[in-house]
Amino acid sequence: MTPSPWWERAVGYEVYLRSFSDSDGDGIGDLPGVLERLDHLDELGVELIWLTPFYPSPQADHGYDVADYRGVDPTFGSLEDVDRLVDELHARGMRLIVDLVPNHTSDRHAWFRSALNGPDDPYRDYYVWADPGPDGGPPNNWVSHFGGPAWTLDEASGQYYLHLFLPEQPDLNWANPAVRSEFDDILRFWFERGVDGLRIDVAHSLVIDPRLRDNPAPGDRPTDPRELFAAFEHRHDLDQPGVVDIYRRWRKIADEHDALLLGEVYLVDPGRVARYVDDGALQLAFCFSVLKAGWDAAEIRQTLARAVTAVGDRAAWPLSSHDEARAASRFGGGPAGTRRALAYLTLLCALPGVPFLLQGDELGLADGRIDRDEATDPIAVRNRGATGRDGSRTPVPWAPGPALGFTDGTPWLPVGRNRTPADTVAVQRDTADSPLSRVSRLLAVRRDLAPWTIDEPPEWIGGGRLVAFRRGRLTAACNVGSEPAALSVPAGARVVYASAGEATVADGLVRVPGEATVLVVDDAAGRS
Ligand code: GLC
């Protein structure tokens, strides 16, 4: 029997480094800041820490523009800090995965600086170059995720280079074997340093149509860049044949180190995500469809059922992410949004697969409110009227006081006008019914329940406003309505967790409070 992988029992936690904790007063979160806060993560009960990019970078896209894949930007600390973090996490039984950005580099990366010397440069073919189209403009109709065409003209050579994100993020040419072998070495570099795995940025990208054919264009062209990008059918620039082969190659390297490859496969159809976790490819992929469901029973049921059927225990379930609105905001904001987010997290914790929190989700935070002129996300700054991603990225509120304990200086992004002392870790830690107390308890209950040991897939029960499923001895029931609802459960079943209020079993019925999820265990089923 193959031993079960170490990550299957974990709950994941995204540390968005710039906003986690600042140790030196420059207003930007850093690695020593993370080291100072490990007790919080330990007490919370998360075991798999994903750290967003710390590499040397001009920060055009807040670190997702990497100028050196083997270094640490002095703003964030040093390589020794990464080593310390690995050691300290391991000493606490936690693991570290780092962000790898293989689709593009920074335009300040030495490879791209060299490539700009012209078509004969040895690094030219590390990137995607093309002559102008017949009209003298870009070679095809591909658009950037962040607004405008996906091509920028290099006037010196008269050729365009591809960038599916910012012009400062030129796409690498994955058809070039030299690029593949560079990344083999980069993977080994981090695994040999002791990191436990990688979160692979835009894992469904990398490979493009060699003929650079146009994508089928939408009838309407929304002005918001992300909506425009989504309006195209990405037939030739995303999710192309051959991309999964890259991960099969990486998997061999990862397996030598018992390391985890977790893909940011941002495809909303879980059936397409599933291909990335086929045997021999990635071990886990984020399933982003779960970020798209609104607070509606039918929508949640259908979204979760489809995702579980397609990806099952190879899924990582993001409650929130630094690229989208936080769960509490998506579900309406205010106290109701927080309650609903905790209910949703409880459902995710009972599914097969690995649930993931974004820092601050454990505090029930909605997006931080900032003024338009305080925006820093390039999506907002470079496109008139577009909404950026700053709201889910505001600093973690640690304690009442200046900058809510995040920094002694001026935070790089305001902490959010809507934050109050009740949002902080220090206050919530001492408050019995706070989101932090509820989430810590949920994670402890999950460790006891060990849903990863249950072989049965969810059997969907309930209906109407109750989203409920049974897996072996475990029943999870989320009441999307505001009034209490009842669900029949086997005699002898007991409530082990409620995300809000109190839940009880009487006369074969569990009473589920409004906008809450309860977890119920039937010990008799567990023994059979
Ligand atoms: C991923 C990251 C996002 C970044 C983009 C480009 O989607 O999560 O923050 O802007 O890739 O690297």
Side-chain angles (χ1 to χ4, degrees), residues 50 61 64 101 104 146 165 169 199 201-202 264 266 322-323 389 393:
W50 152 31
D61 185 23
Y64 285 94
V101 187
H104 44 265
F146 292 167
F165 294 88
Q169 294 169 298
R199 176 264 188 190
D201 192 58
V202 285
E264 187 212 15
Y266 218 119
H322 69 281
D323 292 323
R389 300 166 293 178
R393 299 175 173 187

Side-chain angles (χ1 to χ4, degrees), residues 70-93:
R70 293 180 178 80
V72 174
D73 198 295
T75 308
F76 299 125
S78 63
L79 265 181
E80 290 65 44
D81 292 327
V82 177
D83 295 343
R84 271 174 61 213
L85 187 56
V86 168
D87 291 347
E88 296 264 339
L89 286 172
H90 288 177
R92 292 169 155 87

Side-chain angles (χ1 to χ4, degrees), residues 258-495:
D258 193 21
L260 169 65
L261 299 176
L262 163 59
E264 187 212 15
V265 184
Y266 218 119
L267 298 167
V268 175
D269 172 2
R272 291 170 74 186
V273 176
R275 294 193 302 104
Y276 290 75
V277 290
D278 269 357
D279 274 349
L282 305 176
Q283 294 102 330
L284 289 178
F286 276 115
C287 219
F288 286 100
S289 58
V290 304
L291 282 181
K292 305 289 173 192
W295 190 249
D296 174 88
E299 216 175 302
I300 294 176
R301 191 180 302 114
Q302 193 181 59
T303 303
L304 297 185
R306 277 197 187 147
V308 173
T309 306
V311 194
D313 62 0
R314 312 296 291 269
W317 308 116
L319 177 65
S320 300
S321 111
H322 69 281
D323 292 323
E324 302 282 340
R326 285 182 179 274
S329 290
R330 299 196 312 271
F331 292 145
T338 296
R339 226 177 127 96
R340 294 167 180 176
L342 296 189
Y344 199 61
L345 175 64
T346 308
L347 276 179
L348 300 182
C349 279
L351 292 174
V354 176
F356 254 84
L357 283 79
L358 167 64
Q359 62 189 33
D361 277 348
E362 71 274 33
L363 306 171
L365 298 183
D367 284 351
R369 204 175 326 119
I370 62 164
D371 288 344
R372 193 159 265 288
D373 62 3
E374 294 168 330
T376 70
D377 179 20
I379 294 181
V381 174
R382 301 187 186 197
N383 299 281
R384 225 163 204 277
T387 308
R389 300 166 293 178
D390 295 299
S392 58
R393 299 175 173 187
T394 53
V396 172
W398 290 101
L404 296 178
F406 164 70
T407 178
D408 293 336
T410 307
W412 70 281
L413 180 66
V415 294
R417 282 175 217 297
N418 47 336
R419 294 287 180 257
T420 68
D423 290 323
T424 63
V425 173
V427 170
Q428 292 204 14
R429 192 183 282 141
D430 293 337
T431 310
D433 200 31
S434 65
L436 179 57
S437 306
R438 294 256 179 194
V439 174
S440 313
R441 164 121 182 87
L442 169 63
L443 302 198
V445 166
R446 183 176 184 274
R447 281 192 294 279
D448 283 349
L449 285 177
W452 57 88
T453 61
I454 304 173
D455 281 336
E456 284 102 305
E459 176 201 341
W460 296 88
I461 53 177
R465 287 166 170 255
L466 270 181
V467 180
F469 58 85
R470 195 170 287 145
R471 292 181 63 211
R473 61 186 182 278
L474 172 64
T475 299
C478 174
N479 178 4
V480 172
S482 48
E483 297 302 316
L487 179 77
S488 66
V489 288
R494 63 199 168 86
V495 174

Side-chain angles (χ1 to χ4, degrees), residues 102-103 172-174 201-208 243 246-247 250:
N103 181 68
L172 284 163
N173 174 17
W174 278 89
D201 192 58
V202 285
H204 56 301
S205 236
L206 278 64
V207 175
I208 51 164
V243 64
I246 296 173
Y247 305 128
W250 288 7

